[in-house]
Amino acid sequence: MIVVVSDTHRSERPGLTGSLREAVRSADRVIHAGDFTTEAVLDGFQSVASSLVAVAGNRDEPGVQDRLPTARTLTIGTFTVAVTHTQRGGQTGLTYFGAERGADLVISGHTHRPHLHTADGPVLLNPGSHADPRGGDPTYATLAKRDGDLEITIRDTTGAEKRSVRLEGRKAGGNGTRGH
């Protein structure tokens, strides 16, 4: 399982509590879509997560920005995943960002609100903020490989499911499609 977080906005500790802390500890990989704020918080995530893939956000101090890129592209099973904190142009900018990288899924942060967009182009996922939510509950997301598909779930910090979609894997002789 992969845990996806963003917009921590802390100065000393990652702000991981309860079931989210356990999810981060037990995850195969943690993806952070920016705005740790300080190196101490980045270091805190690195000490808890077995594998951390992260990008810098717009509110990260220079020390964090020096250590992290602003964008990454990675592979999860047969899926290409592009990660950024934000892109100009909002949802359209994120869609173009993903298309430029051949991504099936784009992970971003910045708004502090969970969002899962499944219309044209790559799936857009914003996990919200686990430590500094705006206008709702603290949230994070999980990615789970299931029978060649990728299940994308937004959760509150108790682990309860808020919204989920399944991104279908590429089948022999065809392209992946999106299931709801």
Side-chain angles (χ1 to χ4, degrees), residues 74-134:
L74 57 137
T75 302
I76 299 172
T78 62
F79 300 97
T80 300
V81 179
V83 184
T84 186
H85 183 63
T86 189
Q87 293 288 307
R88 286 189 173 174
Q91 195 166 287
T92 301
L94 290 167
T95 298
Y96 283 129
F97 169 80
E100 289 169 356
R101 286 156 180 76
D104 302 294
L105 171 64
V106 173
I107 297 172
S108 67
H110 191 63
T111 67
H112 297 233
R113 294 175 186 204
H115 180 75
L116 194 50
H117 180 75
T118 58
D120 302 323
V123 171
L124 305 179
L125 168 65
N126 184 325
S129 175
H130 66 282
D132 188 24
R134 295 184 183 160

